[in-house]
Amino acid sequence: MKNDTRKLQSCRIFLGVLTASTSLYGFAHAQTSSSAASALNIDEIVVTATKRTISVQDVPLAVSAIGGDALQQSNIANITALSALEPSLQIQSKGAGDTQIIIRGIQSAGASLVSVYVDEAVVTGSDFNGSGGRQSSVPFYDVERVEILKGPQGTLFGSGSMAGSVRLIAKKPVMNEYSFDITASAETGKGVNELYETHAVANIPVITDELAVRVTAWATEGGGYLDRAIPRTIKNSNDQHIQGIRGILEWRPSSDFKLTATALTQSIDVGDVDYFRRNSGAYNIGVRSMGEWDENYNLYSLVGDYSLPFGSITAATSYSQRKILTRADTTPISSLFGLPDAYQINEYQDRALWSSEVRFSSDFDGPFQLVTGLFYQEDRDGAENVIGRAGADGNLGCVLYGDCSALGANSEVIFSRSLQHDVDQFAIFAQGDYDLTDTITATVGIRYYEATLNWSELSNQNLRPSHAIPPQAGPIVTLDDKSKQNNTSYNFSLGWRPTDDLSFYARVASGFRLGGINTLSSRQLDPSVPVGYNSDTLWNYEVGAKMSFFDRRLIIDSALYLIEWTGQQVSAITASGVTSYMTNAGSSKVQGGELQVTARPIDGLTEKWGITYTNSKLTEYKPTAATNPA
């Protein structure tokens, strides 16, 4: 049936004035082709959004990029604050390390809709709670630029790119140049803890013209602003403690070959939740048990680039592991079962992600250019949660189920499960550009991928609505399922550049996201919960214009788009209100537009204005199927 009454409109406006002495602010603009022109920041800018080095003016899609100098001058240290400079980007954050990225209003439960890359490494987040990503808080210190690719990017960047991609391009080592830089800042305010931030960068040449190392370290301390009155009085309990270091080694044994190795490690410790209940009063957490966020993240990558007379070959592999332990209050849910005490949920996630890609990017003589390659990924995502009665200090006396068993505290646990989601993906992709005339270029891209999903679940403790019910004797296998999925993503575009300062494009692209299986525990809590949910698909139709005037002192980017989303994955609540689960809606439509203006009226001063409008509507409602939709 049709339902046009469910409608959401949003309009986001950004107006700002920034000062910059030599950095080119605006939509990217970290590189220039002429060092003589760089002081005036008026030269043509290139990015790698299409996995080829190409001018922003020539890219037949909406791309914003912000240079590292502009990020530093605007005090943008991580992705959470990036929306202040990019109106098409929205961030929903529950604190450090727990972020959902939204581009063009494409927002949904389930897996991430925006892919995130650090150089060539895939770092897209994953969340068992279905909130759309849980993206990591990778810092923006010592970066060359951040690229924001809007609209589906599945042909070149794979799954998780239905709404777009965010790419952090770190500064690489500089050969034959020693440098050291340190930056520190402090903030304070009435009723808050002081916030201290610092980062340092060292560039060290090792072998002349051949080997260099660049090291970046950072730390953040303090900043708590939320108070607690229960279970005990704590002022500004949500202090952050973040430490990290990144090292990049670049080896150039010849003019044709370059090898780049990166290692990054970061720890995040937040003393309490970063949100409060409004009915408890402003900045008062007001829940009966304690909360915290404890994360350790490690990333390693290796990228080799080999230049050929007619193009280049790039081989990249990366491995990351992210371990997260969170505590939060679950008393409102427990009270639905008549349990009168305070209850806490402890959640642990251990995710290992290995991705590899090899591709060829052409530099042919003639009208045709090509990017083609192979991609393989192994995603091992495990989680465990424990719900139990909190003690007088607001914490459950044990952390995970094994700890509770070892301490003989199983009688305090009313629910616990362990989950394992393993996904193996293989993809082949190609994208070709053909110059139909001197000013018109056609682009066709395609990506085919296959995925194998292995989902398993252990019931450590089935729901005990009363402590009078004896604890479960031990873990029970409640789910062991395997499925295979495959799909194809497409990209078609036509670009017209009548002059060097004016270009237009039209683009049609698709995106795809894997389906999945609802946990057995949610189905036990409510038999109406379906076993699984299907994949969803998205098509994006877009036209845009990019214009520059007065030797690039005035730049205007604009786009209009229509997005049709079928089978949208959504989070539903059972009629009892006890549990949530994943299902599919019918179809949705998003209409919108973007306008961004960058002006440099005088040397050293850059102004930017931006507005994004989206009109999102659920156009067809699809009730939950009684049978297994997967």
Side-chain angles (χ1 to χ4, degrees):
M1 79 180 180
K2 297 289 183 181
N3 185 342
D4 289 334
T5 63
R6 302 187 179 193
K7 187 175 182 181
L8 173 65
Q9 291 184 324
S10 65
C11 183
R12 304 186 70 238
I13 302 175
F14 168 76
L15 300 175
V17 178
L18 298 177
T19 60
S21 58
T22 59
S23 63
L24 173 59
Y25 184 60
F27 308 131
H29 312 125
Q31 300 181 21
T32 61
S33 61
S34 168
S35 58
S38 63
L40 294 178
N41 296 317
I42 60 175
D43 216 28
E44 192 85 11
I45 307 304
V46 297
V47 294
T48 54
T50 59
K51 297 194 175 181
R52 295 178 57 234
T53 300
I54 186 172
S55 163
V56 170
Q57 197 84 0
D58 289 336
V59 178
L61 55 91
V63 179
S64 293
I66 303 169
D69 290 340
L71 291 169
Q72 185 171 353
Q73 291 163 6
S74 303
N75 197 29
I76 304 299
N78 54 53
I79 202 166
T80 303
L82 191 59
S83 60
L85 300 183
E86 174 48 57
S88 67
L89 187 74
Q90 294 173 288
I91 301 295
Q92 291 190 355
S93 177
K94 296 178 182 178
D98 194 359
T99 300
Q100 181 184 6
I101 304 172
I102 304 166
I103 295 179
R104 289 183 170 175
I106 301 300
Q107 177 183 5
S108 171
S112 175
L113 290 158
V114 177
S115 63
V116 182
Y117 281 71
V118 175
D119 293 320
E120 296 286 344
V122 183
V123 298
T124 308
S126 171
D127 186 1
F128 278 108
N129 290 326
S131 62
R134 189 179 270 186
Q135 302 288 358
S136 179
S137 184
V138 177
F140 286 180
Y141 299 124
D142 195 38
V143 300
E144 182 178 314
R145 66 185 182 277
V146 174
E147 297 179 359
I148 303 166
L149 286 62
K150 307 169 200 175
Q153 307 295 326
T155 54
L156 291 179
F157 294 99
S159 62
S161 304
M162 284 180 67
S165 297
V166 176
R167 303 181 64 231
L168 184 153
I169 311 299
K171 287 186 179 180
K172 303 304 185 293
V174 179
M175 299 291 169
N176 309 327
E177 179 181 303
Y178 286 94
S179 64
F180 180 81
D181 179 70
I182 186 168
T183 301
S185 66
E187 300 177 19
T188 189
K190 182 179 179 181
V192 303
N193 288 343
E194 293 79 8
L195 175 67
Y196 302 99
E197 295 181 278
T198 184
H199 73 275
V201 182
N203 190 92
I204 305 170
V206 180
I207 302 175
T208 302
D209 295 329
E210 186 173 334
L211 186 66
V213 177
R214 193 175 187 92
V215 179
T216 307
W218 57 90
T220 300
E221 295 290 331
Y225 62 94
L226 297 180
D227 300 333
R228 269 192 178 275
I230 54 175
R232 58 188 190 272
T233 300
I234 306 175
K235 296 290 290 182
N236 304 325
S237 63
N238 61 323
D239 272 340
Q240 297 184 26
H241 310 278
I242 303 174
Q243 299 87 33
I245 187 169
R246 180 185 68 219
I248 302 178
L249 182 146
E250 190 164 283
W251 180 42
R252 300 180 182 179
S254 69
S255 60
D256 298 328
F257 180 71
K258 177 176 67 176
L259 189 67
T260 305
T262 301
L264 181 152
T265 184
Q266 177 176 261
S267 65
I268 300 175
D269 180 16
V270 184
D272 211 334
V273 295
D274 273 343
Y275 49 87
F276 62 90
R277 296 180 180 274
R278 293 188 179 184
N279 58 7
S280 300
Y283 307 111
N284 290 297
I285 294 175
V287 297
R288 295 179 61 186
S289 62
M290 298 297 295
E292 68 176 270
W293 181 282
D294 187 3
E295 173 184 336
N296 288 283
Y297 183 72
N298 295 286
L299 171 66
Y300 310 96
S301 70
L302 189 65
V303 182
D305 291 290
Y306 185 70
S307 298
L308 301 167
F310 48 86
S312 63
I313 297 174
T314 299
T317 187
S318 64
Y319 174 84
S320 64
Q321 185 173 36
R322 190 180 184 198
K323 296 182 179 182
I324 303 170
L325 175 63
T326 65
R327 294 176 182 258
D329 183 71
T330 188
T331 304
I333 299 297
S334 303
S335 65
L336 296 175
F337 297 93
L339 295 167
D341 301 312
Y343 284 82
Q344 185 181 63
I345 178 170
N346 296 342
E347 293 187 297
Y348 177 71
Q349 182 180 10
D350 184 352
R351 185 186 186 211
L353 186 64
W354 176 53
S355 303
S356 295
E357 179 174 298
V358 58
R359 67 177 181 268
F360 167 73
S361 300
S362 72
D363 187 16
F364 298 143
D365 293 330
F368 178 68
Q369 301 296 337
L370 174 68
V371 175
T372 184
L374 302 172
F375 175 83
Y376 179 75
Q377 183 180 85
E378 292 182 0
D379 189 349
R380 302 292 180 259
D381 204 353
E384 180 182 336
N385 57 28
V386 175
I387 299 176
R389 183 161 46 192
D393 64 349
N395 285 317
L396 177 63
C398 50
V399 180
L400 299 178
Y401 180 76
D403 305 322
C404 298
S405 297
L407 295 172
N410 284 1
S411 60
E412 300 301 314
V413 176
I414 62 169
F415 178 78
S416 176
R417 66 178 179 180
S418 299
L419 307 172
Q420 185 67 40
H421 292 179
D422 297 340
V423 181
D424 295 341
Q425 291 191 55
F426 169 79
I428 182 170
F429 61 91
Q431 183 159 296
D433 299 325
Y434 189 82
D435 294 333
L436 301 176
T437 69
D438 290 342
T439 60
I440 300 176
T441 301
T443 300
V444 176
I446 186 171
R447 185 186 191 99
Y448 172 80
Y449 73 90
E450 297 180 347
T452 301
L453 290 74
N454 288 278
W455 293 37
S456 62
E457 178 181 348
L458 289 177
S459 172
N460 301 317
Q461 173 61 63
N462 199 6
L463 179 65
R464 299 166 59 216
S466 169
H467 286 277
I469 300 174
Q472 186 172 303
I476 300 171
V477 177
T478 54
L479 178 66
D480 189 3
D481 198 7
K482 177 184 290 187
S483 66
K484 291 188 176 182
Q485 302 183 21
N486 62 81
N487 210 298
T488 306
S489 295
Y490 303 94
N491 177 49
F492 308 97
S493 64
L494 193 65
W496 176 41
R497 189 167 184 177
T499 70
D500 290 342
D501 297 322
L502 183 64
S503 65
F504 303 91
Y505 70 89
R507 181 173 184 253
V508 178
S510 67
F512 173 82
R513 182 168 54 163
L514 295 172
I517 301 170
N518 285 310
T519 63
L520 182 64
S521 54
S522 62
R523 287 179 271 143
Q524 289 175 331
L525 291 171
D526 194 316
S528 67
V529 173
V531 174
Y533 54 96
N534 293 323
S535 60
D536 51 357
T537 57
L538 178 151
W539 280 91
N540 179 90
Y541 307 90
E542 178 179 350
V543 293
K546 305 179 182 185
M547 297 170 281
S548 64
F549 307 94
F550 312 118
D551 291 330
R552 297 187 59 80
R553 291 186 178 271
L554 176 64
I555 301 173
I556 301 174
D557 279 10
S558 61
L560 295 173
Y561 53 85
L562 168 65
I563 299 171
E564 295 181 344
W565 193 355
T566 304
Q568 176 180 347
Q569 294 176 13
V570 296
S571 178
I573 305 294
T574 58
S576 64
V578 171
T579 186
S580 63
Y581 62 95
M582 292 296 298
T583 187
N584 298 91
S587 61
S588 300
K589 182 179 292 185
V590 180
Q591 297 171 302
E594 300 160 349
L595 176 65
Q596 296 175 318
V597 179
T598 300
R600 285 178 285 277
I602 60 175
D603 295 345
L605 174 66
T606 300
E607 301 179 11
K608 179 179 178 180
W609 298 269
I611 181 169
T612 296
Y613 173 80
T614 59
N615 180 354
S616 307
K617 186 185 298 184
L618 179 66
T619 56
E620 181 181 358
Y621 176 70
K622 179 180 179 183
T624 302
T627 58
N628 177 10

